[in-house]
Amino acid sequence: MRKKPLKVSETGSAHAEPNSWANSGYVENVTVVVKEAFRPQWPLLVGSVPVTASWFEPREASASLRGWINSVDAKPSTMVLCGMGGVGKTQVAAEFATDLLAQARSRQVDSTSVDTDTQRSDPDASLMASMDLVVWVTADSTEHIVGAYARAWRTVTGLGLSNDAVDEAARFLSWLAMTPRHWLVILDDVPDVGALRDWWPPRTANGRCVVTTRSTDAAWQTEHSARLDVGLYSPAVSKRYLQSVLGLQAREQDAAALDRLADDLGHLPLALAQAAAYLYEDRSLTVEQYRALLADRTLLLADVLPDDSSLPDAQQHTVAAAWHLSLRRADELAPLGLARPLLTILCLLDTHAIPMAMITTPALLQYLNAQQPRGRQPQASAHQARRAMQVLRRLSLVNPPSRGANEPDDFVSMHQLIQRAVREGTQPAELDTAVRAAADTLEELWPTGVYYSDTPTGRSLMSCAEHLVAHDTADALWAAQAPHALLSRLGLQLLATGRRDQGLLHYRSMLGTARRLLGEDDPETLFLRSDIARLQAEDGEVAAAVGELQAVLAAQRRLLGDEHSHVLTTLSNLAHWRGAGGDHVGAVAEYDRLLDTLQRLPAPSEEAVLVTRRARANYMTQCGREAEALPELRTIVKELMRVNGPRHPRTMVARNALASCLGRLGQNEEAIKILTLLLVDQLSVHGEYHNEVLITRSNLAQHRGSTGRPDQAVTELTELVPLFAAVFGPDQVRTLTCRAVLAEWTWRAGKKDSARLQMEKVAGDAARALGSHSLVTTARQTLAFWSAAPGTTG
C-alpha cells in the first residue's frame, strides 16, 4: 500500500529531544508507534578495567578505598591515588573496581523490573554492595576523557552514535548528577588537575570518583577530594611477592638473595614484576647472577628486563619507559626547558639525599642557561630553578624534600631506576656536560677546608660526590687535562673521615686515569704518586713511602724546578715521614730547608709558612728542644687563628701540637684546658669519628693520666681503641699505637699482668701487619723493661 505524505499547514519552528517528536502546525492524521523503553542490564561496566596482576599485594590505599566507599558520608566524593610511575596506582584502582563489580553482580538484580529514571537503589545497601555503574576512563588526555563519557552516555541511554561527542559527554555528566543509581567513575592516569577542569564528575550522594595520577599538585586536596599516596613495596612485601612468583617457577628461595634483589630494584612493584618475568624466561640464571647483570654498567635496563612483547600481567610499559610520559610532561610545563636538564643533574647524584641548596648555585644556573634553546629569554634564575624542581616533584620524578635534623637545608631523593632510566636516555655528550656541571655545583657548595661529614649536609655532599664519580664513565671530570677539584676534595674527605680503604682506592683510581690520559711524567701523575706514598706511610710502610717520595721529588725537580708548589708539597711530606720514621733531627733539618725556600718565593704564602713552622716545631719537641719549641708554637697558634680562625683544620692541628709540647714540659693542666676546648671545636666541625678528634681524645686521656688519674686514662683509652679500629682499621699504625698507649697506662694503673698481655698482642699484631716498624721495636723494648722492673715476674 502506498503511503500518503503527511500534510502539515500553518507550521513554524519546532525542536524535539531524542526519542520524541514536535510540531508547531496543524496535522490531519498522526500515527505514533511507541517502542518498548530501553532498559540497561544493571550493573554496567563502561570501559575496560585492567586485569588484576598476579599475586596482587593489597596496599594500604586498598583498605582506605573500601572504607571510603562504604562510608555513609559522601565527603570526600573523590579519592586521588598519587604516586610515581610503576608503584601500582592503576592496579589498586583496578582491583577495587573489579571487587565492586563482583559484589554488585552477586545481587542478581532483576533488571526488567527496575525503572531507570524512577527506581532508586536500596537505600540501606552500601555503595560497595549496590554499585550500578562503573566507568573506567583512560584519562591521559581530554580527548580520551570526552570519548569515554560519550560511550557511557550511549550505554546508559541506548542511543546511537552521534556526531557530537562533546555534547554526549556533557549529557552523561548531567545524567550522573540526576540519576538515583549508584555509580563510580575511575579516571586513570590523569596528567594533572587542569586536565579535568571541565570534566569532573558531579558531586552527588550516589556517586563517587577515583583518580590515579603521577601529579602531586596541592590542588588535589580539597573539601571534596582526598589524596592517597601509593608508595613502594615494603621490604617484607617485596620479598613475599618474589617468593610467590619464583616459588611457582620452582626456583631458589634464599631469603637474603631475594632481599638483595628487592633492594637493587628499589622495591618498585613494576620492576619486581618484570624482573621476575625475566627470570622466568631465562631459568638458567640464579638470582645472584641476575643481580650481577643488573649491576653491570655496560648493560642497559632494556637488556635485563623483558621487552614489550613479553611483559607480565598485560603491562603496557617496560620499566625503562615507565616515566617517559612524565618526562614529556615536564618539558611542557613552565619554566620551559629547565626541568629535564635539572633532572639530568639529579640522576647523577645520591639516590637518597640531594641538598636543595645546590639548585640555586651559580654553577647550576649557568648549566641550566646553557641547556636552553638559543635566544630563549629570560635567563634561568634561582626562582625558575626552584620552579623546575617543583615540576619534577609534581610529576613524582623526585620525592618531596625532607628536612635534615638541625640543618638549614632540605634534601630531595629519587628512585634509583628513574635515575638509571634518565641516564640511559641521555646522549653521551649531554651526560658528560651534566657530570662536569654537577661537579662544579658540589665544589661550589662545599665550604672550603671544612670536613663535616658527620652532619646531614656533609654526608649528603660526600655521597653525592661518590655517586657522581661512579657515573663518570667517560672521564668527563678530566676534560681539562687535569682532575676536577672535586676529585681531590672527595679523596681528602674519605681519608679525614676514617674511610681510608676507600680513600686509597680513590687515589689509586685517579693515578691510573692520570697515567692513561696524561702520561707518567705529567705533574698531576707525579703529585698523585706523592699523595699515595703519604698514605702508604700512614699505614706503616714508612721506608717504602720515603723511597717513593724521593723518586717523585727528583722527577718533579727535573720537570718543575725547586720552587713549584708540587715540589714543596713533596718536600714537606718527605720531611714529615723522615721524622715519623724516627729521624727527628733530620726532619727538623728538612723543614729548615723547606722554610728557607718558602720564604724566598716572590709571594710567599703566609699560611704555608705557618704550617711549615708548626711541623718543624712539632719535631723539635721530639728531639729535646721543647723549651725552644713552646714559644714558637704559641706564636704559630696565634697567627693561624688570625689568618684562618680557631676552627680551621690547620689551626686546630697547631693547637693540638701546642698541648703536646706543654705535656712534654710537664704542664699537663694547661694542656688539658687547651685540648678540652679544642675537642668541642673539632666535634662541631669534623664530627665524632674524624681522625683528629680521635687523636685529641687520646692525647687528652694521656694528659689526665699524667695528672694522677691513670684509671681515668685507662677508661677513656679503652673506649677509644674500638673507635680507632673502626675508623682506621684494626691493623693500621694509629690503631696499634692507641692499643700500645692503653697498655702503658694499664701498667701505670697497677694492672701489670693485663698490661703485659696487651703489649704482647700489640707487638705480635704490629710485626704481622707492619713488619720492621718502629712500633714493633718500641713494644718489644717496653716489654723487656717491664720484665726487668723490680717486683715483676718473667
Side-chain angles (χ1 to χ4, degrees), residues 208-484:
R208 301 290 174 90
C209 175
V210 172
V211 173
T212 76
T213 180
R214 303 181 188 197
S215 165
T216 60
D217 288 331
W220 290 119
Q221 190 81 29
T222 70
E223 177 186 359
H224 303 288
S225 62
R227 172 176 157 179
L228 289 175
D229 290 322
V230 181
L232 304 169
Y233 279 166
S234 68
V237 171
S238 295
K239 179 165 65 176
R240 184 168 67 240
Y241 174 82
L242 289 173
Q243 286 173 330
S244 299
V245 179
L246 299 181
L248 184 68
Q249 303 170 14
R251 279 186 171 272
E252 62 191 90
Q253 291 294 306
D254 181 352
L258 297 183
D259 284 337
R260 290 190 290 270
L261 176 58
D263 286 341
D264 294 342
L265 298 169
H267 304 282
L268 182 71
L270 182 69
L272 292 166
Q274 294 186 9
Y278 189 94
L279 285 166
Y280 181 81
E281 291 296 324
D282 188 352
R283 302 192 182 196
S284 65
L285 278 179
T286 67
V287 171
E288 288 299 341
Q289 288 171 335
Y290 180 65
R291 291 185 63 238
L293 290 178
L294 279 174
D296 189 341
R297 293 183 181 277
T298 66
L299 299 176
L300 302 178
L301 273 177
D303 298 326
V304 292
L305 292 172
D307 58 28
D308 291 340
S309 64
S310 54
L311 294 177
D313 299 321
Q315 292 171 3
Q316 300 298 309
H317 304 291
T318 64
V319 167
W323 302 285
H324 174 72
L325 293 176
S326 297
L327 290 171
R328 187 175 66 188
R329 182 63 175 157
D331 284 339
E332 297 170 350
L333 297 176
L336 297 176
L338 296 188
R340 184 180 285 267
L342 176 58
L343 187 65
T344 305
I345 288 279
L346 300 180
C347 80
L348 298 167
L349 305 176
D350 181 18
T351 304
H352 302 293
I354 303 169
M356 274 291 292
M358 69 178 294
I359 306 305
T360 55
T361 56
L364 187 56
L365 295 180
Q366 181 180 358
Y367 163 77
L368 293 178
N369 278 315
Q371 299 309 303
Q372 292 192 89
R374 290 185 179 180
R376 176 168 288 176
Q377 295 294 332
Q379 293 288 291
S381 64
H383 172 66
Q384 289 175 314
R386 284 191 290 267
R387 288 185 63 200
M389 177 61 82
Q390 290 172 359
V391 167
L392 298 178
R393 288 205 301 265
R394 285 173 54 196
L395 297 175
S396 299
L397 291 168
V398 301
N399 299 322
S402 59
R403 184 168 297 279
N406 302 316
E407 288 284 319
D409 201 4
D410 290 340
F411 304 92
V412 296
S413 60
M414 294 179 66
H415 194 277
Q416 65 254 45
L417 294 184
I418 293 182
Q419 288 186 314
R420 183 169 176 176
V422 172
R423 290 194 302 270
E424 292 178 357
T426 303
Q427 293 297 318
E430 295 177 8
L431 204 60
D432 289 350
T433 301
V435 166
R436 291 189 290 272
D440 291 342
T441 300
L442 292 173
E443 179 68 17
E444 206 167 67
L445 194 60
W446 222 312
T448 303
V450 174
Y451 305 107
Y452 65 152
S453 72
D454 200 32
T455 67
T457 296
R459 288 192 294 271
S460 170
L461 289 173
M462 274 197 71
S463 184
C464 284
E466 290 181 87
H467 279 76
L468 180 63
V469 171
H471 293 315
D472 179 24
T473 57
D475 300 321
L477 294 176
W478 292 77
Q481 296 301 301
H484 193 284

Side-chain angles (χ1 to χ4, degrees), residues 640-657:
L640 284 171
M641 284 188 173
R642 176 183 59 80
V643 173
N644 293 324
R647 290 185 164 189
H648 191 280
R650 287 172 179 164
T651 306
M652 292 192 290
V653 169
R655 291 164 66 187
N656 213 331

